[in-house]
């Protein structure tokens, strides 16, 4: 009696597993590798999902996660920068775009030490999210900090002044 029941359960599991798309299977495999801290394998599977199924509903999520892995787990900020940029460009409606742009700015600041690039990305952030004043203020503060780090104190001061004038209600 047990074997027929197990066979039925096995068949149901195979049917359910077969119903998921290849994109979902790639994503689930990537998630499993990520949970096991096998970051290279996770990154490869996320990348594969994005390359093979760019219109899949999880493609933006996979691209965000692969960028995160390159930035935070593999210490490859330049590769992460390209993936975050790809996310912002390919999936402009993604809920990850705001954070991707902030992460781009952080890499431009800490790795590239490029205040002009940070300023340009901040301008893009504020164009895309004009209603999110705290987000824009956070971006401008990063611009000012980047100018300060580059010892361009006058530009840092001007940016701070503009920040205060543009967002007087943002206390943080």
């Amino acid at each position: 009696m047990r074997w027929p029941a197990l066979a039925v359960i096995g068949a149901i599991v195979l049917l359910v597993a077969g119903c998921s798309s290849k994109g979902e299977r790639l994503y689930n495999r990537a998630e499993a590798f990520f949970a096991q801290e096998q970051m290279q394998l996770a990154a490869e599977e996320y990348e594969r999902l994005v390359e093979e199924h760019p219109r899949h509903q999880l493609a933006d999520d996979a691209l965000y996660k692969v960028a995160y892995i390159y930035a935070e787990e593999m210490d490859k900020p330049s590769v992460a920068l390209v993936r975050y940029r790809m996310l912002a460009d390919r999936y402009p409606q993604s809920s990850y775009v705001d954070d991707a742009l902030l992460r781009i700015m952080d890499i431009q600041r800490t790795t590239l030490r490029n205040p002009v690039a940070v300023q340009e990305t901040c301008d893009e952030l504020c164009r895309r999210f004009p209603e999110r004043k705290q987000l824009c203020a956070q971006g401008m503060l990063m611009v000012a900090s980047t100018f300060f780090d580059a010892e361009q104190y006058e530009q840092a001061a001007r940016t701070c002044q503009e920040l205060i004038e543009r967002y007087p209600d943002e206390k943080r």
Side-chain angles (χ1 to χ4, degrees):
M1 192 89 162
R2 291 189 108 175
W3 286 108
L6 288 175
V8 169
I9 291 172
I12 291 171
V13 167
L14 285 175
L15 275 174
V16 171
C19 290
S20 68
S21 71
K22 184 173 181 187
E24 289 169 339
R25 289 192 303 274
L26 288 169
Y27 184 84
N28 289 336
R29 194 167 35 235
E31 291 284 284
F33 286 136
F34 187 87
Q36 296 167 3
E37 297 184 11
Q38 296 181 36
M39 296 306 166
Q40 182 64 44
L41 293 173
E44 289 169 7
E45 292 301 296
Y46 287 130
E47 294 262 27
R48 195 166 153 213
L49 167 61
V50 172
E51 289 171 16
E52 294 178 13
H53 306 281
R55 292 190 185 112
H56 193 279
Q57 65 184 7
L58 294 171
D60 66 324
D61 187 272
L63 194 50
Y64 181 81
K65 288 181 177 175
V66 78
Y68 170 84
I69 289 170
Y70 284 126
E72 304 298 326
E73 302 294 333
M74 300 174 96
D75 195 29
K76 295 182 177 180
S78 297
V79 178
L81 180 91
V82 171
R83 297 310 184 277
Y84 284 128
R85 172 50 56 199
M86 188 184 301
L87 171 64
D89 293 344
R90 282 192 189 174
Y91 305 100
Q93 302 305 316
S94 172
S95 61
Y96 296 107
V97 170
D98 57 346
D99 193 58
L101 291 171
L102 287 174
R103 290 179 181 270
I104 288 169
M105 291 172 64
D106 185 56
I107 293 168
Q108 290 168 332
R109 177 183 179 206
T110 59
T111 303
L112 303 179
R113 302 188 188 287
N114 186 338
V116 174
V118 175
Q119 177 70 62
E120 290 171 357
T121 305
C122 181
D123 292 345
E124 176 184 356
L125 180 75
C126 294
R127 271 193 313 277
R128 288 186 185 214
F129 303 99
E131 72 288 351
R132 295 187 51 198
K133 297 189 184 318
Q134 184 178 8
L135 182 67
C136 292
Q138 182 180 355
M140 285 188 72
L141 186 57
M142 193 176 302
V143 171
S145 298
T146 307
F147 280 121
F148 187 84
D149 294 345
E151 298 180 2
Q152 296 179 22
Y153 302 119
E154 288 180 30
Q155 186 61 40
R158 280 195 295 275
T159 304
C160 287
Q161 185 61 40
E162 181 182 351
L163 171 62
I164 292 166
E165 290 170 5
R166 210 184 272 187
Y167 305 106
D169 297 332
E170 295 302 318
K171 304 298 181 206
R172 293 177 59 189

